[in-house]
Amino acid sequence: MPSPSLFFVIITLALFLSSSITAAAKTGPKKPPPNHPPPPPPPPPNHPRLPRQHGITTTKAPPHPGYLPSSKFKPTSFRKCYRNLWGEGHQKLDPSGLTVWLDRASGSGFKSVKPYRSGYFGTSIKLQSGYTAGVNTAFYVEAHPGNHDEVDIEFLGKTFDEPYTLQTNVYIRGSGDGRIIGREMKFHLWFDPTKNFHHYAIIWNPRELIFLVDDVPIRRYARKSAATFPLRPMWVYGSIWDASAWATDDGKYKADYRYQPFVATYKNFKATGCTAYAPRWCRAATASPYRSGGMTRQQYSAMRWVQRNHMVYNYCWDSSRDRSLTPECRM
């Protein structure tokens, strides 16, 4: 039989081991076991994750472009600058803007009262949510008749689960002659264009075309030759119409009139520039503070960010296209 002192030591040691095991059970291991990594940290505050768009994700808006061209041009009333072109019964003008719609009977369009040879042309647009496949909502400038020039901002309708595609396009004497040559660049935007109004603009001068979204340049098309740049006076247009043959996934999804009417609203109209009748010394609009045109370094940085994160098609990168028809891609 152990002595009382040895018995006391054994009891003390047993109590100490028991308390250590209990404490370890309460605190648990300090590191996760192998093959069970800790969960990723939550996104930082004020930076919600945006929906995934065909493999493109982002958690923020583009870098600030610095210079804001829209602030340099005053808005004008619709009645002062535009008139109905077609589908008058599918337009409604009120203090909140011009609402146009497409249904089985008709779409609608409007046209500027003057042609321009350069200028800043912008408007704020809000699109319809839900199923709008096959529907084309456009704001563009165009020279006609005949083999006309055309510069487009077009929203290509979507199915329920997909984002809108914003398509920019440039035609140079390329429509109406049986040899239509598009110069498309397409984007999925960093916001939902059905939630609020956003401002879309085209700046056209003898040196370049610049497309802007909320003053952020998304595309610059430079004049590299007279043969690849629109130079004739152009009118400004807006329209909504059925483009089921090609608008959504190359025509795979058509306009479904069970969801009619398809509605878009335009407001904050800006059309400023040198009309076709202005004197030759009329100063052309630019996208930057430079009178000679071009963009600032900060604007280029914002444009590169958009193209890197949100561009989903570039005609110059399409290996199936005939490059001889778009020589500017090789310049």
Side-chain angles (χ1 to χ4, degrees), residues 23 75 107 115 128-129 131 146 155 168 187-188 194 222 296 321:
Q128 179 169 308
S129 60
Y131 186 98
F155 289 96
T168 64
F187 303 83
H188 289 159
T194 71
T296 67
R321 300 285 294 266

Side-chain angles (χ1 to χ4, degrees), residues 11 16 30 39-40 54 75 78 113-115 121 128 145 161 175 215 230 232 242 255 258 290 294 302 304 307 322:
I11 294 299
F16 175 79
K30 294 186 181 296
H54 289 291
F78 176 83
V113 297
K114 298 176 182 178
F121 313 108
Q128 179 169 308
D161 298 328
S175 298
D215 281 312
R232 292 189 295 161
D242 187 333
R258 291 177 299 175
Y290 310 139
R304 284 192 295 268
Q307 293 185 358
D322 183 350

Side-chain angles (χ1 to χ4, degrees), residues 90-163:
H90 289 66
Q91 289 184 12
K92 179 182 179 183
L93 182 63
D94 57 37
S96 64
L98 176 74
T99 300
V100 297
W101 60 92
L102 166 71
D103 58 25
R104 196 180 296 275
S106 178
S108 188
F110 57 89
K111 178 183 178 180
S112 64
V113 297
K114 298 176 182 178
Y116 296 83
R117 66 170 188 263
S118 66
Y120 176 99
F121 313 108
T123 184
S124 297
I125 304 173
K126 184 177 180 182
L127 301 172
Q128 179 169 308
S129 60
Y131 186 98
T132 58
V135 179
N136 183 303
T137 304
F139 183 71
Y140 59 105
V141 293
E142 179 184 28
H144 63 84
N147 303 336
H148 63 271
D149 300 337
E150 186 174 330
V151 180
D152 300 321
I153 291 177
E154 301 173 289
F155 289 96
L156 309 183
K158 67 184 190 66
T159 58
F160 284 112
D161 298 328
E162 296 297 319

Side-chain angles (χ1 to χ4, degrees), residues 1-24:
M1 182 175 181
S3 66
S5 59
L6 181 58
F7 183 82
F8 178 80
V9 171
I10 293 173
I11 294 299
T12 302
L13 182 59
L15 291 173
F16 175 79
L17 292 174
S18 175
S19 63
S20 298
I21 292 170
T22 302

Side-chain angles (χ1 to χ4, degrees), residues 226-255:
T228 61
F229 194 82
L231 295 171
R232 292 189 295 161
M234 295 196 277
W235 280 258
V236 189
Y237 295 84
S239 63
I240 187 168
W241 58 290
D242 187 333
S244 290
W246 60 271
T248 307
D249 283 1
D250 296 324
K252 179 179 179 181
Y253 299 100
K254 315 292 186 182

Side-chain angles (χ1 to χ4, degrees), residues 168-239:
T168 64
N169 205 350
V170 181
Y171 293 104
I172 298 95
R173 295 176 293 283
S175 298
D177 60 359
R179 196 182 188 192
I180 298 174
I181 304 167
R183 291 164 167 84
E184 303 92 342
M185 288 177 64
K186 301 179 183 181
F187 303 83
H188 289 159
L189 298 170
W190 53 95
F191 55 81
D192 183 346
T194 71
K195 299 297 185 184
N196 295 294
F197 284 92
H198 292 269
H199 198 71
Y200 308 92
I202 298 167
I203 289 181
W204 170 48
N205 61 49
R207 300 177 184 87
E208 63 198 351
L209 282 159
I210 297 176
F211 300 82
L212 303 108
V213 176
D214 290 339
D215 281 312
V216 177
I218 63 170
R219 178 183 182 181
R220 179 176 182 264
Y221 182 90
R223 177 180 175 178
K224 296 182 178 180
S225 72
T228 61
F229 194 82
L231 295 171
R232 292 189 295 161
M234 295 196 277
W235 280 258
V236 189
Y237 295 84
S239 63

